[in-house]
Structure formats: structure tokens, C-alpha cells
Amino acid sequence: SDHEDDLAMSEKKAEEGNRPTTYHYPSIGADLKDVGKGYHTWNPYHTIFYGSIISVLVVVLSVFYRSTEIAEIWNLVVELIAKESNHKDFWVILTVIVASFAALIMTITIYLMSRATSVYLVDFTTYQPPDHLKFPHDLFIRNSRATGWFSEESIAFQEKLVYRTGLGNETYMPPGILASPPDLSMARAREEAEMVFTAVLDQLFATTGVKPKEIDILIVNCSLFNPTPSMSAMIINKYKMRSDVRNYNLSGMGCSAGVISVDLAKDLLQVHKNCNALVFSTENITQNWYAGADKARLVSNTLFRLGGAAILLSNKWSMGWRSKYTLTCTVRVHKGATDGAYKAVWQSEDEQRVVGVALTKDLMTVAGDALKTNLTILGPIVLPWSEQIKFFMNYMQRRMESYTGKEKRTPAYLPDFKKAFQHFCIHAGGRAIIDGLEDALKLTQEQVEPSRATLYRYGNTSSSSIWYELAFIERCNRIKKGEKVMQIALGSGFKCNSAVWKRIRN
């Protein structure tokens, strides 16, 4: 099969001491429309405001060159007013002056009213499961064999794969899957959900000092477990939150849903002032353990593990001084208009009517295309002008070469995003994803270490993986005041979403 061929190629590359080249970053040039989307994020009121201020300052500085001249000019103005008050054009001139100052004040007012409200990341917590839920590779194989669900061929395939995914021997599984025999019931899935959110929310409330009743907005994202009442309702009931809390429950949005939740919270905090927003990001594993024989669906068994994260955001001025980060921007890209991208990660029944999530062989190509679009939009927002000029000149040169029909064309220029960010949180979706982004962005081993360490220690925890990576960076004391972090995640649909944070304090 295609998956066996890919695995054989990976083994051959590993024997040669090289990483498997399973990731494809498209070499085609960026779409100018995508570049424009990045520039459109610049608020036009900024130009009006800064232009007005600069104009006034230029006039003031050029006229009031020395402080001694200010008094002299003022005296002349007073004398002129006293002398010319009866002049026929005096009131016209005075009206123009007053109207000019009124226009300047109005411009400043419009700017202050239209500028985006700051969104602070007060703090976040990640779930640390107890030791009795550890799921080493040998236990994975023993339990899979003991269930009687898998053929020896399927077990052998999973055994080969689990040792090559980048996962270590200290990842975790929920109690339902570790039970003998496995209990994949709704009750066990609810137990997993409550176990994770209780641990992270208790810790977050204790760390920040914020009480559950002080939460104004609640957002939960979990793709594959959607009970009724929802998981957001479970949290409201558990912590007895206010009846007017604005709650949202996002489902089916894949591993990039963590950034989607942050983006939704950001938009809500622009509308609702003086609010605290709580985001809970997780994936429920209990009912999504695939028990069939399709190799495309068996891959997920070797990757996904137990995890979750809670994030407290706020737009309160009083929270700014005690927060860790401020949100700079978010970029969301959805490639679902094309069938290949739409079906790259696909939940369905196999031939034996067993439900599972299939990862197609085109997944890496689709991921590369989504990443390219995201970075193209993100570039104009975050890159220094030196990189933007290089990128634009390269783009125009490639366009000219395409019009002239030149056979040997200039390769596409990928901007150096290391000049915009000091730290990177790449979704720990698998070793090939991390390898691909490391090569595409020309990152150092130290810059991708948070992603590799998270994958090794916790596995693919889906949407919460980027928060485990940020926690790793913090524990290593690598991030300093003023430095920026890029979180980038890939998910079904197919989506590529990114968020940029700036550190407020050491």
C-alpha cells in the first residue's frame, strides 16, 4: 500500500542518517492577493492620525525653533489680533484656524475610538496527567493485541509506526482506553473531559487569582467529542459560572482549533469591553480509538495522546501589568474549497463500518500549500521592511519571467521569519510536520526543540500542543521581555492558523 511504501522509504532514509523527506513545501510564487490581505490589516485611521500629528509637529518645530522665540511670536500674534480685529478678513482667518484645530481633534478622537483593544494573555496552564496513565510503546502493543480487535498485520504496522513517529515512552492515554477490556463508552469520554478541564482550570484560577464568576466569555474547542449538553455547559455547571456568561463550543475544527478559539476571543474582546475570556483547548481520545484494519486510519492511534490547556485572556487595563503576553495578530487560512484539501483528514467508516480518522498520502502537500498562504498573509504584518522589499522584488521578477516565457526561472524567495520572531511553537502533529517547517522556515534546532520535546513527551495532543510548547520555552527561561512568539497549527478542513504574541515582562 501507499502507507507501507512511505514507511519503507522512511526506514531507508533513517538508515542513511537522513530525515524522511515526506513534507512538500510548494515552490510556486505567492499569490499577490494573499500579500494584499496582509497589508489590509493596517488600519487606515493610523495613516490619518500619524499624518496629522507629524504635519503639526513639523510646523511647530520649524516655527518655534528656539524657546526664546515662542514668547516673541506670541506677542506678535496678540498685537496682530488687537490691531486687525476690525479687518474685514479677520473672522474668516480665525474661522479657518479654529476649524483646522477642530479637525485635528476630531481625527485624534476617531483614531482613539477605532484602534483595536489590547488583548492580554494573563496566564495559561497545560494538563499534566498522573503517572498511572502513562502509555509506553510496549504497553501500546500489548494492549492492542489483548483487545482482539486487530490482526497481526495491523499490530505489526502500528508497532513499526509508533517507534518512528517521534513519540517517547512517557505519553498518556485516558482511563477508558487503558481499561481491560477498553471501555470506549460515553460515560468514560465524559470522565476524560472532566478530568482534564478540572485539573487545568483549578490550576489556572489558583495561579491568576481570578474566580470562575469573573469569567465573561467561555470558549471550548474539542473536535471529536460533542456531547449534549456541550463541554462548555459542563464547565459552567462544574464551576457555577454566571448565567450571563457568553459561551461557545467549537467542534470538528481539528488540530488548529486552539488558534481559532484565540481568534474568536480576540474578536469578542473588541466588542465587549472590560471582560475576561477563558479558552479551554483539548481533544477527547476515548471514543476515537480506531479498532479497524485500514492503515490510513491506524496512523492516528500511534500519534494522538491525552492532553489539554486552559488560557485566560483579558482586555482589562488592570490586567495588563500582570499579564505575560499581548496578542499582536492572528491569521487564519482555510483551503476547504479544493477537494484534496477538504478530504486530507477525513472521519468516516471503513469497509467494516468502523469509524476512524483517515490521514491521506497527500496530507503533507496540502499542509505545505496552506502554510505558504498563511505565511504570505502574515509576512506584511510582521516582517521588517528589509525582508518585505526582498520578497516583493523577487515576486515581481518571477512574474516578469513568467510573462516572457523564460525557461530557467528565479526560485521563490522565502522571507527570513527569524527576523520577526525569536520563538516558534509549531504544532506537534508528527515528526514529518516539524521537519518540514524546520526546513521551510530555515529554523535552528534550538528553535524547533519545543515542538520536538512536546511531541516526544506528550505526543500529538491536537489543538493544545502549541501551549505545551510555549510552556517548554518558559520553563527553559528562553523568552525575554519584548520578544515575540509565533504559534502555528495545521488542522482538518484544511486549515493553517497562526497567532503572534509579544512578551510583556520577564
Side-chain angles (χ1 to χ4, degrees), residues 22-23 152 165 184 225 247 253 266 290 298 301 306 332 358 371 446 489:
T22 56
Y23 184 91
E152 283 301 319
T165 53
L184 311 185
F225 180 59
N247 70 299
M253 304 201 78
K266 178 197 71 174
Y290 177 64
L298 285 171
N301 288 357
L306 178 66
R332 292 171 56 180
L371 173 67
E446 182 178 353

Side-chain angles (χ1 to χ4, degrees), residues 7 17 21 44 56 80 108 150 167 185 200 209 237 291 304 314 332 334 336 341 422-423 444 453 477 495:
L7 184 59
T21 55
V56 171
L80 179 64
I108 295 174
F150 305 101
L167 277 68
S185 63
V200 293
N237 177 261
F304 290 95
S314 181
R332 292 171 56 180
H334 202 303
Q422 290 73 44
H423 307 278
T444 64
N477 294 320
K495 299 180 286 294

